[in-house]
Amino acid sequence: MTTADVEPAIIRVILRDGQSLKVRPIAPEDRGRLKAFFYRLSPLTRYLRFGFMKNYISERELDYFTANNPPDIFAYVAVKDEGEDEKIVAIGWWFLAPDRISAEIAFIVEDKIQLRGIGTALLEHLAAAAPKYRIKRFVAHVLPENTRMLEVFEESGFQMGKRQYEGTYELTFDLRQQDEYLKRQARREHVACSEGVCRILYPRSVAVIGASSNPKTVSGMVLRNLLADGFSGPVFPVNPKAASVGGICCYPTVEHVPGEVDLAVIMVPAAQVLEVMDQCARKGVMGVVIISAGFGEAGPEGRDRQRLLREKALAYGIRVIGPNCIGIMNTDPRTCLNASIAGPMPSRGNVSIGSHSGALGIVLLDYLKGNNIGIAHFASIGNRVDISSNDLLEFWEDDENTGVILLYLESFGNPRRFSRIARRITRKKPIIALKAGRSEAGGRAASSHTGALAGSDIATDALFRQAGVIRANTIAEMFNAAKYLAHQPLPRGPRLAILTNAGGPGVLAADAAISYGLSVPPLSEATSRKLSRFLPEEASLGNPVDIMESATGEQFGKALSVILDDEAIDGIIIINAPIRPYLEVAAGIQKRLAGYAGGKTLAACFMMSGTGNLEIRSGPGNLVPIYTSPEEALQAFFHAYTYARYRTLEEGILPVFPEADEERTRNYLKSSEVFTKGGWLSPEISLGLLKEYGIPVAETLTAYSPEEAAKAARQIGFPVVMKFRSPAITEKNEAGGVLIGLQGEDEVKLGYNELEARLDRAGLGAQVEGVILQPLVKGGQEIIIGMSFDPVFGPLVMVGLGGIHVELMKDVAFSLHPLRNTDPDFMFRQLKGFPLLQGWRGSPPRDIDALREVLLRFSALIEDIPEIKAVEINPLMVFNPGMGTMAMDARIFVKSEAT
């Protein structure tokens, strides 16, 4: 196994100051670079690393250190560009110990760039690579006076043992105990990524490279928008063909600009962008927005250009938004940055938007203005050579100006990282995402139910559900939800009151509410009595409350005031058909809401055009969202309620099963000849693998002749079930390959011969190798559990009701792996047939606790044995409460790293 098999060639590391750094595995051609690096180190740094005044590095040492022959020695180097070559600025190694599961680690960072988090970053990536080489423990020897390195280790979050040994500290890290380490790693990543985005959204000065005085050109638009929207710092036009642009002094290159440049907006032809990046690096520019197109979207030449751009950004440590984007906005009055081609900024608000698409970004901004929604920030990230939507999320998580996050996504660069970040953010503020590409990924192999049912859009749904992200299917749905969440308190429950002056729209609203699983309960008697005192006799005082066509704005307001006092109501939808002037109705509602601070959530529906600029406030800072149809209002309330309910759920933890022995399981797996070449394991090996992780399985014996079958049946005890043994055929019942309830040895022998004859007639005999025998298990509910591997999202875990429910109804639920202890219940609630497990119409309830544990153990097995690429347990029998479960059949596909 080579390093290239398990590690990417280039890793982007974000340091605590927000700057990026290029990290990669060391290579033999780094020999000269390592030598130069060593002699640039100060005597003190060399002493702290080697424990003595080392003034010389031998040719033999250079050969050894650059061999990178895993797992005996493995190293990462941090590099920067230096002209036509790279310069090593830091290195982290491990050296494998004789026990083959421990490795000694060591680090050196060049003097002038210490204290920026480089050592910590190298430690994190060495730790990430270690499990792939079966390394479970790191050991480090550190001089007591090397306080900086001691701090790196002590603050890492690993459980660390420490003892003095021959004048040094010997530190031991258990790589299997990572809970605190992962928390601290996420925090370090969060701080670094936030700082990188902050550098771009809050610049003190901006250079517009390729600036034009023609406001109709792209480069002219950016300069005009920066000046018109009042950017708080200096703006420097850069254009070698102009002495001034728009009356402002122009410079031939960014290097000629006097003073510092924090942000460069690049709008030159694509072929010139790489040269401009070189100039920005020499100038010390730390962030760029590249609006220029002609990169990854423009064929092979563009893809090559984008690859070179990414490499330059990494080598220089410059943070990049784009290319092929429309720019960024920041309405914070401290900055007032409109470095975009999207026209004037919307008003200031608490919504921040990230868009993969530039054109759609313009559409989103137009929707904002038309829906009276203000923004905090906007970022069009285009081809995403560096800063991604994940980086934006890291920044917006703690941004006090951002209350709601909107994302338009076309792909996931790192779905696991997105999920990890989104889970944190949605505990504080909502994320609404519009994801393009809902169709299933083509070419998925349907070698099992799980693979056939899984698709890229199902994976997206699972990711969003687990992370608490609100998924919108249309732009209108996204902004309808945003209006609600940006300005109203979260619903305390699903109970809605509908107040209307027209019966038909009220019924439509009630139907929509019920279809979303919301509640439209009758109003209390006290509320109905209060309403009857001022409403016409013809008014309907149930729910919906129809106050009749003649209702005045004053009556609307009084009725609303009464309903607000009903403790059995969580939210109110106000619907006004255009019978009386809508401004009169709005004024009556506003009058009653003045000073309201009761916390109930409100929405209004004015069923006519021309109300886009209408404002109704329900307390300080709270706008009542206004819609044109009842269905829009109800859909927005549903999203708000679903999100509110998610925030009440436990976050969950990744469970640990100490009795599950990974090494023993791996050795068991290696006993199968399939492991080395890859393929489907035999049924008995598959079931044995589940058993290693504590999943109950049926006693299973194999036989290759009628006599062996009879002997195995006698050992199990009659009656027995006989199935043909074939990892290639998925449907044993459909192929006639199952005999149930065989009694006695003679019946078993006859059954064996009958199965052989059936399979020969069907032309399947060559695909069968003997039979398996199991005890006849009665009772219980059939469940199917599976895992398929998505090339983008990784393992997807599935659970569903077996039999007809999966065959015909496709009643299944998916979650992204690994499962937290709260995920199984979330999956169960998605199953239409879940009431059958709870006990429905006289059917007995089943052992849901045991099923939950099976799913979690199943996920742990997948996590520990990454060679498992697909699994299906079908059926898993779930018995009555307290009686557990039993896997009757399983198929597992494995592919080792060596194949």
Side-chain angles (χ1 to χ4, degrees), residues 19-20 80-81 277-278 281 286 311-318:
Q19 189 174 351
S20 64
K80 284 191 172 184
D81 268 9
M277 283 289 288
D278 295 335
M286 300 305 298
E311 290 177 1
K312 280 186 179 291
L314 268 173
Y316 291 140
I318 296 176

Side-chain angles (χ1 to χ4, degrees), residues 536-556:
E537 289 185 8
E538 299 83 6
S540 173
L541 305 183
N543 192 10
V545 178
D546 182 1
I547 60 177
M548 305 304 293
E549 298 91 337
S550 60
T552 64
E554 180 69 17
Q555 287 174 315
F556 254 111

Side-chain angles (χ1 to χ4, degrees), residues 30 53 97 120 163 239 300 329 456 459 473 534 545-546 653 658 724 882:
D30 287 319
M53 296 302 295
T120 299
R163 72 183 181 108
N239 190 329
M329 295 178 179
S456 61
N473 296 313
F534 60 87
V545 178
D546 182 1
I653 59 171
F724 66 69

Side-chain angles (χ1 to χ4, degrees), residues 5 40 43 139 288 452 487 596 608 611 626 673:
D5 293 328
R40 285 198 309 273
V139 178
V288 301
H487 299 298
Y596 173 71
M608 61 182 297
T611 60
I626 296 174
E673 62 180 21

Side-chain angles (χ1 to χ4, degrees), residues 106-109 119 142 146-154 171:
F107 303 91
I108 315 178
V109 180
V142 185
N146 194 352
T147 55
R148 291 180 180 176
M149 188 52 63
L150 287 171
E151 287 176 2
V152 167
F153 291 140
E154 288 169 354
L171 310 177

